[in-house]
Amino acid sequence: MTEQLQRAMEERALLPEAWRNASEFSDYVLRLTPAKAKRMREAIHEAIQATEEDPESEESEQLVVQLTAFPLPGTVAVGPS
């Protein structure tokens, strides 16, 4: 995952403008309950699954979508749940 991200960053300047505009490199730190975090994750998965693929289009390319969601390290008490 990290290697693909590094390569994507290195190649970004070489991409056509349309693909640069369609790409995203963002980090968000949100304050959520575990239940809300799970609902958000599920909503993102549903949105991805609902996106139609268009393999017949000449403009269509493989798009990598990486999702990581975890408590900010060092902020949640570690122990039995």
Side-chain angles (χ1 to χ4, degrees):
M1 182 163 70
T2 303
E3 184 179 313
Q4 278 187 331
L5 179 58
Q6 178 64 38
R7 287 182 56 204
M9 292 297 294
E10 292 169 0
E11 293 176 4
R12 182 172 170 75
L14 304 174
L15 292 175
E17 184 177 357
W19 277 112
R20 284 195 312 271
N21 291 337
S23 298
E24 178 80 21
F25 298 94
S26 297
D27 288 347
Y28 301 92
V29 178
L30 307 172
R31 192 167 182 85
L32 302 173
T33 64
K36 249 191 178 168
K38 183 179 178 189
R39 284 195 303 272
M40 180 191 66
R41 181 180 52 83
E42 290 170 346
I44 292 168
H45 283 270
E46 287 175 16
I48 291 169
Q49 291 169 354
T51 303
E52 283 188 42
E53 293 189 32
D54 192 3
E56 302 302 318
S57 171
E58 290 183 18
E59 293 180 306
S60 180
E61 297 291 348
Q62 292 180 319
L63 182 71
V64 176
V65 177
Q66 297 179 338
L67 174 64
T68 57
F70 50 87
L72 188 64
T75 64
V76 176
V78 178
S81 51

